[in-house]
Amino acid sequence: MIVKMEHIAIVVSDMNRSIEFYTNLFGFKVRLRGNNPNREMAFLYLEAQPDFEIELIRDIDPVGEYSESGIVNHLAFTVKNIDDAIGSYRRNGIEFTSNEPKPTLEGGRMILFYGPDRELLQLVERVKD
């Protein structure tokens, strides 16, 4: 079901500072930056490996200390068809954090679940070309 590694999300306290850090020191480029009512997000990539990204997340109104949710927030995997993947993983005992996939900033869909040590994992169906 899994096609590739999608991205790793890092919780940040200052989006501009974090973007400057990753772009100036390591050569990442910003592919997408946006927000929803709860979060500001940015997706960064390296030209040599554009299919794997860093997602920077800044909660607009943090619920608690950033250390409570972890600096590295989740690991995401790309799937071709999220509905098929959800059905298959549910049949294998996976419980998702929501009943239905949620929209991504780009118009794709995603859903979250936990691994065996409560690590947060995500399935992402990218926008079809």
Side-chain angles (χ1 to χ4, degrees):
M1 289 273 148
I2 291 174
V3 178
K4 71 174 186 80
M5 298 287 291
E6 175 72 23
H7 65 262
I8 191 160
I10 301 171
V11 175
V12 302
S13 60
D14 183 320
M15 185 62 72
N16 290 330
R17 181 184 68 193
S18 294
I19 288 174
E20 183 177 311
F21 176 83
Y22 284 100
T23 57
N24 291 345
L25 289 177
F26 302 120
F28 279 84
K29 296 184 183 290
V30 175
R31 181 182 63 78
L32 177 67
R33 185 173 181 177
N35 58 19
N36 63 34
N38 302 314
R39 290 182 160 170
E40 178 182 11
M41 294 164 277
F43 291 85
L44 287 69
Y45 69 97
L46 289 169
E47 285 185 351
Q49 192 179 12
D51 287 346
F52 185 76
E53 298 178 316
I54 295 174
E55 176 187 12
L56 302 176
I57 298 173
R58 184 187 69 82
D59 289 333
I60 292 171
D61 186 17
V63 179
E65 294 295 319
Y66 282 105
S67 61
E68 290 177 16
S69 61
I71 298 301
V72 175
N73 180 265
H74 67 269
L75 178 61
F77 303 97
T78 302
V79 296
K80 287 185 180 180
N81 183 304
I82 200 163
D83 297 314
D84 289 348
I86 290 169
S88 176
Y89 291 123
R90 276 193 175 133
R91 286 189 293 278
N92 285 288
I94 297 293
E95 294 181 21
F96 293 91
T97 63
S98 62
N99 291 327
E100 298 293 325
K102 297 182 179 177
T104 66
L105 279 178
E106 298 175 281
R109 299 185 303 154
M110 68 85 176
I111 194 163
L112 298 164
F113 62 102
Y114 291 100
D117 288 306
R118 300 282 302 156
E119 65 272 23
L120 189 59
L121 304 171
Q122 181 182 59
L123 300 178
V124 177
E125 179 185 87
R126 305 278 312 235
V127 177
K128 293 181 177 46
D129 295 328

